[in-house]
Amino acid sequence: MKRDTKIPVTVITGFLGAGKTTFINQLLQKYPERKFALVENEFGDVAIDTKLIKGVDASQMFELKQGCICCTITDEYELVLQELADRFPDVEHLLIETTGVADPAPVIQPFFSDERLKEIYAFNGTICLVDALHFDEIPEKEISLKQLAVADLILINKSNELTKGQHEAFLKEIGKLNPFARMIPTAYGNANDVELDKVMQKIRTAFDFVHFPSVHQHIETKLMEFGTPIPKEEFLRWFSYLMDVNKRLIYRTKGVLYFEDEPFEYILQGVGGNFELTEGDLVIEPGESKIVFIGKLSDVQFN
Protein backbone atom coordinates (compact mmCIF):
# COMPACT_ATOMS: atom_id res chain seq x y z
CA MET A 1 0.00 0.00 0.00
CA LYS A 2 1.44 3.36 -1.05
CA ARG A 3 1.35 6.02 1.67
CA ASP A 4 0.89 9.74 1.19
CA THR A 5 3.90 10.40 3.42
CA LYS A 6 6.86 8.10 3.76
CA ILE A 7 8.06 7.06 7.21
CA PRO A 8 11.59 8.23 8.02
CA VAL A 9 13.74 5.34 9.30
CA THR A 10 16.90 5.73 11.36
CA VAL A 11 19.26 2.84 12.13
CA ILE A 12 21.08 3.01 15.46
CA THR A 13 24.20 0.91 15.80
CA GLY A 14 27.34 0.64 17.91
CA PHE A 15 29.32 -2.10 19.62
CA LEU A 16 28.13 -3.88 22.76
CA GLY A 17 27.86 -1.46 25.66
CA ALA A 18 28.33 1.71 23.61
CA GLY A 19 25.11 3.20 25.02
CA LYS A 20 22.52 2.62 22.28
CA THR A 21 19.52 1.93 24.53
CA THR A 22 20.32 4.88 26.81
CA PHE A 23 20.59 7.11 23.75
CA ILE A 24 17.25 5.91 22.37
CA ASN A 25 15.54 6.73 25.66
CA GLN A 26 17.03 10.22 25.58
CA LEU A 27 16.01 10.65 21.94
CA LEU A 28 12.41 9.71 22.78
CA GLN A 29 12.42 12.27 25.58
CA LYS A 30 13.70 14.95 23.19
CA TYR A 31 10.82 14.36 20.77
CA PRO A 32 7.87 13.65 23.11
CA GLU A 33 5.22 14.66 20.56
CA ARG A 34 6.51 12.39 17.79
CA LYS A 35 4.96 8.96 17.38
CA PHE A 36 7.79 6.43 17.15
CA ALA A 37 7.90 2.76 16.34
CA LEU A 38 10.91 0.60 17.21
CA VAL A 39 12.37 -2.56 15.73
CA GLU A 40 14.54 -4.06 18.44
CA ASN A 41 16.99 -6.85 17.69
CA GLU A 42 18.10 -9.09 20.56
CA PHE A 43 21.21 -11.25 20.34
CA GLY A 44 19.76 -14.27 22.09
CA ASP A 45 16.26 -15.45 22.87
CA VAL A 46 15.29 -13.14 25.73
CA ALA A 47 14.00 -9.62 25.14
CA ILE A 48 15.87 -7.67 27.81
CA ASP A 49 16.42 -4.44 25.88
CA THR A 50 12.71 -3.88 25.23
CA LYS A 51 12.17 -3.62 29.00
CA LEU A 52 14.67 -0.76 29.06
CA ILE A 53 12.97 1.40 26.42
CA LYS A 54 10.67 4.06 27.82
CA GLY A 55 8.51 6.14 25.50
CA VAL A 56 7.35 3.75 22.78
CA ASP A 57 4.00 2.01 23.15
CA ALA A 58 4.57 -1.70 23.67
CA SER A 59 2.36 -2.54 20.69
CA GLN A 60 4.70 -0.56 18.44
CA MET A 61 7.86 -2.36 19.50
CA PHE A 62 8.81 -5.19 17.18
CA GLU A 63 11.35 -7.76 18.36
CA LEU A 64 13.63 -9.85 16.17
CA LYS A 65 15.02 -12.48 18.54
CA GLN A 66 16.25 -15.27 16.28
CA GLY A 67 19.83 -14.04 16.31
CA CYS A 68 21.81 -11.05 15.20
CA ILE A 69 19.79 -9.02 12.73
CA CYS A 70 22.58 -8.90 10.15
CA CYS A 71 22.67 -12.71 10.00
CA THR A 72 18.92 -13.29 9.84
CA ILE A 73 17.88 -10.75 7.24
CA THR A 74 15.30 -12.75 5.35
CA ASP A 75 11.72 -12.19 4.33
CA GLU A 76 10.92 -11.96 8.07
CA TYR A 77 12.67 -8.61 8.41
CA GLU A 78 10.98 -7.09 5.38
CA LEU A 79 7.60 -8.52 6.39
CA VAL A 80 7.96 -6.95 9.85
CA LEU A 81 8.64 -3.58 8.23
CA GLN A 82 5.58 -3.90 6.01
CA GLU A 83 3.39 -5.12 8.87
CA LEU A 84 4.47 -2.22 11.04
CA ALA A 85 3.42 0.33 8.40
CA ASP A 86 0.09 -1.46 7.81
CA ARG A 87 -0.82 -1.78 11.49
CA PHE A 88 0.27 1.71 12.52
CA PRO A 89 -0.48 4.18 9.72
CA ASP A 90 0.04 7.11 12.12
CA VAL A 91 3.67 6.23 12.94
CA GLU A 92 5.87 9.24 12.24
CA HIS A 93 9.37 7.76 12.62
CA LEU A 94 10.87 4.27 12.76
CA LEU A 95 13.97 3.50 14.83
CA ILE A 96 15.89 0.26 14.31
CA GLU A 97 18.35 -0.69 17.06
CA THR A 98 20.75 -3.41 15.95
CA THR A 99 22.64 -5.72 18.26
CA GLY A 100 26.09 -4.61 19.29
CA VAL A 101 27.70 -7.19 17.02
CA ALA A 102 25.64 -6.42 13.91
CA ASP A 103 27.05 -5.40 10.57
CA PRO A 104 24.65 -2.59 9.58
CA ALA A 105 24.98 -3.22 5.82
CA PRO A 106 22.14 -5.75 5.37
CA VAL A 107 19.96 -3.73 7.76
CA ILE A 108 20.26 -0.65 5.56
CA GLN A 109 20.16 -2.29 2.14
CA PRO A 110 16.42 -3.22 1.90
CA PHE A 111 15.47 0.45 2.13
CA PHE A 112 17.32 1.00 -1.14
CA SER A 113 16.70 -2.29 -2.95
CA ASP A 114 13.16 -3.38 -2.07
CA GLU A 115 10.60 -1.53 -4.18
CA ARG A 116 7.78 -2.10 -1.69
CA LEU A 117 9.78 -0.68 1.20
CA LYS A 118 10.92 2.28 -0.90
CA GLU A 119 7.27 3.24 -1.30
CA ILE A 120 6.74 3.14 2.47
CA TYR A 121 10.00 4.37 4.02
CA ALA A 122 12.53 7.14 3.51
CA PHE A 123 15.96 6.23 4.84
CA ASN A 124 17.01 8.91 7.34
CA GLY A 125 20.55 7.75 8.07
CA THR A 126 22.64 5.69 10.47
CA ILE A 127 23.71 6.81 13.95
CA CYS A 128 26.66 4.97 15.49
CA LEU A 129 27.61 5.24 19.15
CA VAL A 130 31.18 4.52 20.15
CA ASP A 131 32.64 4.12 23.64
CA ALA A 132 35.60 6.48 23.30
CA LEU A 133 37.02 5.64 26.71
CA HIS A 134 37.39 1.91 25.96
CA PHE A 135 37.68 1.96 22.17
CA ASP A 136 41.20 0.52 22.11
CA GLU A 137 40.09 -2.39 24.30
CA ILE A 138 37.04 -3.36 22.22
CA PRO A 139 37.07 -7.03 21.23
CA GLU A 140 35.93 -7.97 17.73
CA LYS A 141 37.30 -4.63 16.52
CA GLU A 142 36.43 -5.27 12.88
CA ILE A 143 32.71 -5.15 13.74
CA SER A 144 33.03 -1.77 15.42
CA LEU A 145 35.09 -0.39 12.54
CA LYS A 146 32.42 -1.40 10.01
CA GLN A 147 29.69 0.20 12.12
CA LEU A 148 31.67 3.44 12.24
CA ALA A 149 32.56 3.39 8.56
CA VAL A 150 28.96 3.35 7.32
CA ALA A 151 27.60 5.87 9.84
CA ASP A 152 26.19 9.27 8.94
CA LEU A 153 26.40 10.53 12.51
CA ILE A 154 28.88 9.29 15.13
CA LEU A 155 28.20 9.96 18.81
CA ILE A 156 31.44 9.82 20.75
CA ASN A 157 30.11 8.58 24.06
CA LYS A 158 31.99 8.99 27.37
CA SER A 159 33.99 11.79 25.75
CA ASN A 160 33.73 13.71 29.01
CA GLU A 161 36.22 11.25 30.53
CA LEU A 162 38.91 11.96 27.92
CA THR A 163 41.59 14.60 28.21
CA LYS A 164 41.65 17.31 25.55
CA GLY A 165 44.59 15.61 23.85
CA GLN A 166 42.90 12.21 23.90
CA HIS A 167 39.72 13.70 22.51
CA GLU A 168 41.49 15.41 19.62
CA ALA A 169 43.45 12.25 18.79
CA PHE A 170 40.26 10.18 18.82
CA LEU A 171 38.46 12.58 16.50
CA LYS A 172 41.39 12.40 14.11
CA GLU A 173 41.41 8.58 14.19
CA ILE A 174 37.68 8.28 13.50
CA GLY A 175 37.86 11.03 10.90
CA LYS A 176 40.31 8.96 8.87
CA LEU A 177 37.97 5.99 9.05
CA ASN A 178 34.88 7.93 8.02
CA PRO A 179 35.59 11.46 6.78
CA PHE A 180 31.97 11.98 5.68
CA ALA A 181 30.26 11.50 9.04
CA ARG A 182 29.39 14.24 11.47
CA MET A 183 30.87 13.62 14.93
CA ILE A 184 29.30 14.82 18.17
CA PRO A 185 30.94 14.35 21.59
CA THR A 186 28.51 13.27 24.29
CA ALA A 187 28.24 11.66 27.70
CA TYR A 188 25.71 9.16 29.06
CA GLY A 189 24.07 8.83 25.63
CA ASN A 190 22.84 12.43 25.71
CA ALA A 191 20.76 13.28 22.63
CA ASN A 192 20.48 17.06 23.08
CA ASP A 193 22.71 17.91 20.11
CA VAL A 194 21.18 15.37 17.76
CA GLU A 195 18.82 16.74 15.10
CA LEU A 196 16.93 13.61 14.13
CA ASP A 197 15.65 15.05 10.87
CA LYS A 198 19.17 15.96 9.70
CA VAL A 199 21.08 12.73 10.19
CA MET A 200 22.01 11.53 6.71
CA GLN A 201 25.27 13.11 5.55
CA LYS A 202 26.69 10.83 2.89
CA ILE A 203 25.77 9.25 -0.41
CA ARG A 204 25.49 5.50 0.02
CA THR A 205 28.22 3.55 -1.75
CA ALA A 206 28.67 -0.12 -2.57
CA PHE A 207 30.82 -0.49 0.56
CA ASP A 208 27.82 0.32 2.76
CA PHE A 209 26.07 -2.79 1.46
CA VAL A 210 28.97 -5.25 1.60
CA HIS A 211 28.24 -7.85 4.27
CA PHE A 212 30.74 -10.17 5.94
CA PRO A 213 28.51 -12.97 7.30
CA SER A 214 31.19 -14.87 9.24
CA VAL A 215 32.45 -11.91 11.21
CA HIS A 216 31.03 -13.03 14.58
CA GLN A 217 30.02 -16.65 14.28
CA HIS A 218 32.12 -17.51 17.32
CA ILE A 219 30.23 -15.10 19.60
CA GLU A 220 27.82 -16.97 21.88
CA THR A 221 25.00 -16.14 24.24
CA LYS A 222 24.00 -17.78 27.50
CA LEU A 223 20.81 -17.31 29.46
CA MET A 224 20.61 -17.78 33.23
CA GLU A 225 17.20 -17.89 34.89
CA PHE A 226 16.20 -17.82 38.57
CA GLY A 227 12.65 -18.86 39.38
CA THR A 228 12.62 -17.40 42.90
CA PRO A 229 13.91 -14.10 44.33
CA ILE A 230 17.70 -13.98 44.68
CA PRO A 231 19.65 -13.21 47.89
CA LYS A 232 21.20 -9.90 46.90
CA GLU A 233 24.53 -9.89 48.75
CA GLU A 234 25.32 -13.49 47.82
CA PHE A 235 24.51 -12.77 44.17
CA LEU A 236 26.67 -9.64 44.05
CA ARG A 237 29.69 -11.48 45.49
CA TRP A 238 29.35 -14.27 42.92
CA PHE A 239 28.63 -11.98 39.99
CA SER A 240 31.45 -9.54 40.78
CA TYR A 241 33.93 -12.42 40.86
CA LEU A 242 32.55 -13.94 37.65
CA MET A 243 32.81 -10.65 35.76
CA ASP A 244 36.28 -9.81 37.04
CA VAL A 245 37.77 -13.20 36.21
CA ASN A 246 36.18 -13.33 32.76
CA LYS A 247 36.31 -9.68 31.72
CA ARG A 248 38.03 -10.48 28.42
CA LEU A 249 35.59 -13.28 27.59
CA ILE A 250 32.24 -11.80 28.64
CA TYR A 251 31.70 -8.81 26.37
CA ARG A 252 28.23 -7.83 27.54
CA THR A 253 25.71 -8.73 30.23
CA LYS A 254 22.17 -7.49 30.68
CA GLY A 255 19.29 -8.69 32.77
CA VAL A 256 16.24 -8.09 34.92
CA LEU A 257 16.59 -9.27 38.53
CA TYR A 258 14.30 -9.74 41.53
CA PHE A 259 15.92 -9.82 44.96
CA GLU A 260 14.64 -11.14 48.27
CA ASP A 261 12.85 -8.51 50.38
CA GLU A 262 13.10 -5.87 47.62
CA PRO A 263 9.93 -4.24 46.21
CA PHE A 264 11.55 -3.27 42.89
CA GLU A 265 12.89 -5.06 39.87
CA TYR A 266 16.52 -4.30 39.09
CA ILE A 267 18.10 -3.73 35.68
CA LEU A 268 21.56 -5.23 35.21
CA GLN A 269 23.94 -3.75 32.64
CA GLY A 270 27.54 -4.87 32.21
CA VAL A 271 30.44 -4.35 29.80
CA GLY A 272 33.64 -6.32 30.22
CA GLY A 273 34.40 -6.56 33.92
CA ASN A 274 32.21 -3.60 34.90
CA PHE A 275 28.51 -3.67 35.71
CA GLU A 276 25.81 -1.65 37.40
CA LEU A 277 22.41 -2.32 38.92
CA THR A 278 19.68 0.29 38.63
CA GLU A 279 16.29 0.30 40.30
CA GLY A 280 13.44 -0.45 37.91
CA ASP A 281 9.68 -0.61 38.32
CA LEU A 282 7.83 -1.30 41.56
CA VAL A 283 6.43 -4.82 41.44
CA ILE A 284 3.60 -6.47 43.35
CA GLU A 285 4.86 -9.98 42.76
CA PRO A 286 8.49 -10.76 41.81
CA GLY A 287 8.98 -12.28 38.38
CA GLU A 288 11.61 -14.63 37.03
CA SER A 289 15.12 -13.18 37.06
CA LYS A 290 16.97 -13.47 33.75
CA ILE A 291 20.53 -12.63 32.75
CA VAL A 292 21.94 -12.77 29.23
CA PHE A 293 25.70 -13.09 28.66
CA ILE A 294 27.32 -12.33 25.28
CA GLY A 295 30.90 -13.14 24.36
CA LYS A 296 33.35 -15.98 23.93
CA LEU A 297 31.72 -18.13 26.56
CA SER A 298 33.05 -21.64 25.92
CA ASP A 299 35.81 -21.18 28.53
CA VAL A 300 33.70 -19.37 31.12
CA GLN A 301 32.85 -21.34 34.28
CA PHE A 302 29.47 -20.05 35.45
CA ASN A 303 29.10 -22.33 38.48
Side-chain angles (χ1 to χ4, degrees):
M1 180 182 68
K2 191 170 182 178
R3 298 168 56 99
D4 293 333
T5 304
K6 293 184 180 181
I7 304 172
V9 54
T10 304
V11 173
I12 299 170
T13 187
F15 196 73
L16 297 163
K20 296 184 295 299
T21 302
T22 300
F23 167 71
I24 289 174
N25 277 326
Q26 302 240 11
L27 196 63
L28 297 174
Q29 291 175 24
K30 182 176 180 179
Y31 295 93
E33 303 304 319
R34 189 171 302 191
K35 193 156 189 178
F36 287 96
L38 174 69
V39 172
E40 178 77 41
N41 185 213
E42 301 275 10
F43 195 94
D45 296 328
V46 180
I48 297 295
D49 287 351
T50 51
K51 293 183 70 69
L52 310 182
I53 299 291
K54 310 295 182 184
V56 175
D57 187 279
S59 67
Q60 293 171 207
M61 296 178 69
F62 287 68
E63 300 166 9
L64 298 175
K65 297 187 293 182
Q66 296 181 6
C68 180
I69 194 172
C70 73
C71 295
T72 57
I73 293 290
T74 59
D75 290 341
E76 179 204 6
Y77 176 57
E78 296 176 11
L79 287 172
V80 162
L81 295 173
Q82 291 179 55
E83 179 188 352
L84 188 153
D86 290 340
R87 285 176 55 187
F88 305 105
D90 55 345
V91 163
E92 297 171 318
H93 204 115
L94 171 63
L95 303 176
I96 299 176
E97 181 185 359
T98 72
T99 74
V101 292
D103 177 351
V107 181
I108 298 169
Q109 186 174 19
F111 297 104
F112 293 87
S113 61
D114 187 289
E115 293 302 323
R116 294 165 297 178
L117 295 183
K118 286 164 67 175
E119 291 182 354
I120 301 170
Y121 294 100
F123 189 71
N124 186 60
T126 303
I127 300 174
C128 180
L129 284 89
V130 58
D131 180 346
L133 188 63
H134 301 105
F135 183 70
D136 291 334
E137 304 163 15
I138 291 176
E140 318 296 335
K141 196 67 165 281
E142 67 276 14
I143 300 172
S144 182
L145 294 177
K146 179 62 185 293
Q147 294 167 345
L148 289 164
V150 303
D152 296 281
L153 172 63
I154 297 172
L155 296 184
I156 303 171
N157 208 13
K158 305 181 185 178
S159 59
N160 59 309
E161 300 185 49
L162 301 179
T163 65
K164 182 178 179 181
Q166 288 173 326
H167 182 70
E168 291 175 352
F170 190 75
L171 288 178
K172 187 175 180 180
E173 180 180 359
I174 301 303
K176 289 179 179 178
L177 179 66
N178 186 345
F180 303 103
R182 182 185 177 201
M183 291 183 281
I184 299 178
T186 188
Y188 308 107
N190 194 298
N192 286 342
D193 294 328
V194 174
E195 295 297 328
L196 189 57
D197 300 319
K198 300 178 181 178
V199 172
M200 194 155 64
Q201 298 284 315
K202 59 185 287 190
I203 298 173
R204 306 256 78 88
T205 67
F207 173 76
D208 293 331
F209 303 135
V210 174
H211 176 40
F212 305 99
S214 63
V215 73
H216 55 69
Q217 288 182 348
H218 57 283
I219 298 177
E220 305 165 282
T221 64
K222 178 180 175 61
L223 169 66
M224 297 190 74
E225 300 176 284
F226 305 85
T228 58
I230 306 168
K232 189 173 184 179
E233 295 302 320
E234 182 181 333
F235 170 82
L236 289 176
R237 284 195 298 271
W238 167 78
F239 193 75
S240 298
Y241 177 79
L242 176 72
M243 295 294 287
D244 184 54
V245 170
N246 299 286
K247 57 189 172 186
R248 297 193 180 279
L249 299 175
I250 299 175
Y251 301 163
R252 183 79 164 97
T253 53
K254 49 191 177 181
V256 178
L257 304 177
Y258 300 90
F259 294 116
E260 292 178 352
D261 304 318
E262 291 275 1
F264 298 94
E265 68 178 13
Y266 283 81
I267 307 302
L268 171 69
Q269 298 269 25
V271 179
N274 302 310
F275 71 94
E276 63 178 9
L277 278 175
T278 54
E279 195 175 276
D281 296 332
L282 181 68
V283 294
I284 299 175
E285 291 290 337
E288 185 177 40
S289 297
K290 298 181 179 183
I291 308 173
V292 174
F293 298 86
I294 305 173
K296 292 183 178 179
L297 306 180
S298 56
D299 294 328
V300 177
Q301 299 295 321
F302 287 95
N303 296 323

